Amino acid sequence: MNTHYEHSENKTRAAKRETAVPGARAIMQGRIRTWFVDKSYGFVRGQDGGDYFFHVTDLKRQDKQPLEGQGVSFEVLQTARGLRAANVELVGE
């Protein structure tokens, strides 16, 4: 059973592995390139042309379903698995 403490502990460990990319702009603009509804993750194409993974938990508002082609703003994090979009905000909600 996952207690609140265990959940907090796991989030703390994950946060330690994710850091803002040095020299990156605080907020980047982009568009949802791909969204897999059944898997709750997708990719954002940033204004720099790069693709960034994001999970539904990275959305600022999880009550809205992202749509392919929709504009977003986001922060870039470096993780153990590569670059990731975090604090993804859907533009034009």
Side-chain angles (χ1 to χ4, degrees):
M1 186 164 108
N2 189 9
T3 66
H4 176 70
Y5 174 77
E6 290 170 343
H7 182 67
S8 296
E9 183 76 16
N10 290 338
K11 286 188 102 173
T12 301
R13 281 192 215 127
K16 289 178 183 175
R17 291 189 305 264
E18 297 178 349
T19 58
V21 175
R25 285 193 299 266
I27 302 293
M28 187 181 292
Q29 305 298 313
R31 297 207 170 273
I32 306 281
R33 181 177 63 88
T34 307
W35 178 248
F36 300 100
V37 176
D38 57 330
K39 297 181 181 180
S40 299
Y41 74 84
F43 294 89
V44 172
R45 168 83 32 99
Q47 64 195 35
D48 63 352
D51 289 333
Y52 301 91
F53 170 85
F54 77 104
H55 186 265
V56 69
T57 58
D58 293 308
L59 293 170
K60 281 190 173 183
R61 290 189 57 187
Q62 296 176 20
D63 61 331
K64 299 283 185 180
Q65 189 70 248
L67 302 171
E68 290 182 5
Q70 186 171 20
V72 294
S73 63
F74 62 99
E75 295 177 49
V76 179
L77 295 181
Q78 177 67 53
T79 70
R81 294 179 140 185
L83 297 177
R84 179 180 187 137
N87 297 316
V88 178
E89 186 169 8
L90 303 175
V91 176
E93 295 184 67

